[in-house]
Amino acid sequence: MVGEEFFEKAMEELREKNLDWKLRSMESASDARSIVEGKEVIVLCSNNYLGLSNNPELKKAAIKAVEKYGVGSGSVRAIAGTMDLHLKLEETIARFKGTESAVYYQTGFAVNAGLIPAVMQNGDLIISDELNHGSIIDGVRLSKAERAVYAHCDMEKLAETLEESDKKEYNKKLIVTDGVFSMDGDIAPLDKISKLAKKHNTMVYVDDAHGDGVLGEKGKGIVNHFKLEGKVEFEMGTFSKAFGVIGGYVSGSKAMCDYAYNKSRTWLLSGSSPPAVTAACIASLELLERDDSYVKKLWDNTKYFKEKLKVLGFDTGKSQTPITPIMLGESSVAVKFSQRLFEERVFALPIVYPMVAKDKARIRTMVNAAHSKEDLDEALEKFEKIGKELKVLN
Ligand SMILES: *Cc1c(COP(=O)(O)O)cnc(C)c1O
């Protein structure tokens, strides 16, 4: 076959550097404990923050939708693929977020890759945090706008960039940032960003993938957390993390949302999400509107787990959210640590160079609302045992 040499050589290089992904197969639902490669493990690396991906209410909604609507939507949204379910979901998102309108996309990636280039054109400027998610980076790459990158969450650098931009005649300017950064679990200072943006007549686009269902009242996200309702032009997020299903959305003004679906190529040219998924997304938001116990439990577990890790003597970095990194330094230590955890039935992955700096390798953990105290205690016991074994702890 043509190209084999290229693939083989490229993969050899990846394997040599230990940068190839080794997939582990999950043989049950994603939950507090799941069956992975034939054994039950405590899952500390899923984004299923509220434990909703195996929730009976969401499952029931999905099954009911399959019975009434079948398994596929049959088309892209703009042709014959808009079911009443999609419209209801968009209304529900707008209500949950407290915005005028919302558009539901197939994934969060599809929002960033489709919407950013649709909005930002020749003669515009995009200003982006250096640690933004890859889907934002790709969206920015697809845009014909000029771009500037500022040091991570550095408001002085952002202010400088904005002042510089005032000297030129851009048609539109946009600051784009992750709400919660997925490697360190820190929160973007959206209040400060919003103030600076206003001063310099610039729009704000926040990617709330790790803040949805986590931050704010009832998990309404980062804009609610900072009380910035009505001040952020684009609230983008995902249903694949805390909301437990899959899909992406943008919410904001009606005019922006109308533009978004008319112009996003990812939305216009790709089939709409299936009935089961769409119905489960609606059920997920309805559940959170009614019942805040999931969000409370997530934060209880987060505080408990972080506190205990610190008492054990681990360095948990600067996280302010349920994403808790356990800083280990060398990549090889992080890889070994993760392997040992898996042998001890704890599933948590290492994050190593080039995803993070060479001396900042870590195990990244994410507790969720489905974990019991027993689950967390058992995991902590293993962390302590392996920490001592690998001489990370004294
Ligand atoms: C996960 C993630 C996405 C992608 O969302 P999907 O709905 O899974 O495609 C986008 N941005 C950020 C910051 C993410 O963490």
Side-chain angles (χ1 to χ4, degrees):
M1 301 268 252
V2 180
E4 285 308 276
E5 213 177 304
F6 164 79
F7 299 125
E8 274 162 22
K9 188 154 170 280
M11 284 314 302
E12 206 173 293
E13 277 171 23
L14 280 181
R15 285 189 197 107
E16 261 168 28
K17 292 184 199 145
N18 211 9
L19 290 177
D20 59 318
W21 287 99
K22 293 152 193 90
L23 306 181
R24 292 204 191 269
S25 151
M26 192 174 274
E27 292 133 10
S28 69
S30 178
D31 218 322
R33 292 179 190 243
S34 299
I35 310 295
V36 178
E37 294 181 349
K39 64 181 183 185
E40 192 186 85
V41 295
I42 299 170
V43 179
L44 287 178
C45 55
S46 85
N47 298 314
N48 181 24
Y49 291 114
L50 298 174
L52 294 183
S53 62
N54 195 30
N55 178 280
E57 222 173 286
L58 272 65
K59 293 199 310 198
K60 213 193 239 167
I63 292 164
K64 247 177 82 184
V66 169
E67 281 164 357
K68 178 167 175 191
Y69 297 88
V71 293
S73 74
S75 174
V76 299
R77 282 286 299 275
I79 301 179
T82 293
M83 289 168 159
D84 54 358
L85 286 174
H86 296 104
L87 299 175
K88 179 166 181 210
L89 173 55
E90 287 171 340
E91 268 170 37
T92 310
I93 297 168
R95 188 178 68 226
F96 184 75
K97 287 274 158 181
T99 56
E100 225 171 59
S101 209
V103 186
Y104 177 66
Y105 291 62
Q106 304 86 341
T107 65
F109 201 115
V111 183
N112 287 336
L115 182 57
I116 296 172
V119 173
M120 299 309 286
Q121 305 161 339
N122 227 335
D124 295 341
L125 174 68
I126 305 174
I127 306 169
S128 178
D129 187 291
E130 68 177 341
L131 293 189
N132 277 342
H133 190 258
S135 57
I136 294 179
I137 295 171
D138 282 11
V140 173
R141 280 184 184 144
L142 285 168
S143 162
K144 296 202 169 68
E146 261 182 59
R147 60 208 63 173
V149 174
Y150 61 96
H152 178 53
C153 289
D154 186 331
M155 293 300 101
E156 271 170 42
K157 288 282 172 358
L158 175 60
E160 273 169 33
T161 308
L162 285 163
E163 266 147 38
E164 231 12 72
S165 76
D166 285 344
K167 297 178 192 155
K168 297 190 192 158
E169 303 241 317
Y170 292 109
N171 297 330
K172 304 196 285 307
K173 294 184 286 188
L174 176 76
I175 301 168
V176 55
T177 183
D178 279 22
V180 173
F181 289 85
S182 60
M183 292 300 152
D184 291 302
D186 52 332
I187 301 175
L190 199 63
D191 48 346
K192 299 194 177 88
I193 292 173
S194 167
K195 248 191 207 141
L196 282 170
K198 188 151 191 243
K199 183 172 163 202
H200 295 275
N201 199 26
T202 300
M203 303 183 285
V204 176
Y205 185 115
V206 67
D207 177 336
D208 213 8
H210 288 278
D212 273 328
V214 175
L215 298 179
E217 177 212 347
K218 294 184 174 175
K220 290 182 181 195
I222 191 168
V223 171
N224 177 284
H225 171 83
F226 281 111
K227 306 270 173 288
L228 291 169
E229 286 92 346
K231 292 186 180 158
V232 172
E233 284 75 12
F234 304 86
E235 259 184 90
M236 171 272 163
T238 179
F239 281 83
S240 73
K241 294 186 172 122
F243 298 151
V245 196
I246 194 163
Y249 72 87
V250 64
S251 67
S253 74
K254 175 150 191 326
M256 183 278 287
C257 289
D258 285 348
Y259 180 91
Y261 73 77
N262 274 283
K263 290 290 189 179
S264 299
R265 291 168 66 79
T266 51
W267 194 91
L268 289 166
L269 301 177
S270 184
S272 65
S273 59
V277 163
T278 314
C281 289
I282 297 170
S284 165
L285 294 186
E286 286 179 347
L287 180 66
L288 296 183
E289 282 179 322
R290 205 179 62 229
D291 181 353
D292 63 1
S293 67
Y294 295 89
V295 179
K296 289 210 166 112
K297 178 89 183 297
L298 169 67
W299 280 100
D300 274 356
N301 280 349
T302 297
K303 281 173 196 148
Y304 182 80
F305 193 65
K306 270 192 211 298
E307 192 53 48
K308 295 273 173 174
L309 282 169
K310 274 181 205 152
V311 170
L312 287 176
F314 286 108
D315 171 6
T316 57
K318 55 182 175 176
S319 165
Q320 303 161 269
T321 63
I323 299 172
T324 304
I326 292 149
M327 309 304 289
L328 295 170
E330 284 286 311
S331 288
S332 58
V333 179
V335 170
K336 180 78 196 163
F337 207 111
S338 170
Q339 276 168 357
R340 285 288 298 118
L341 281 171
F342 193 74
E343 286 163 17
E344 299 280 347
R345 297 175 178 259
V346 176
F347 191 17
L349 287 188
I351 308 276
V352 300
Y353 179 81
M355 278 188 282
V356 292
K358 276 204 168 112
D359 58 342
K360 293 263 159 63
R362 65 199 64 179
I363 298 282
R364 184 177 60 162
T365 63
M366 285 168 285
V367 298
N368 66 50
H371 288 123
S372 64
K373 287 277 176 333
E374 292 72 47
D375 294 330
L376 298 181
D377 284 340
E378 193 178 319
L380 286 159
E381 210 177 281
K382 308 297 184 190
F383 271 97
E384 182 178 19
K385 175 178 172 186
I386 297 163
K388 285 184 175 154
E389 194 181 293
L390 298 183
K391 307 219 170 355
V392 177
L393 296 179
N394 300 320

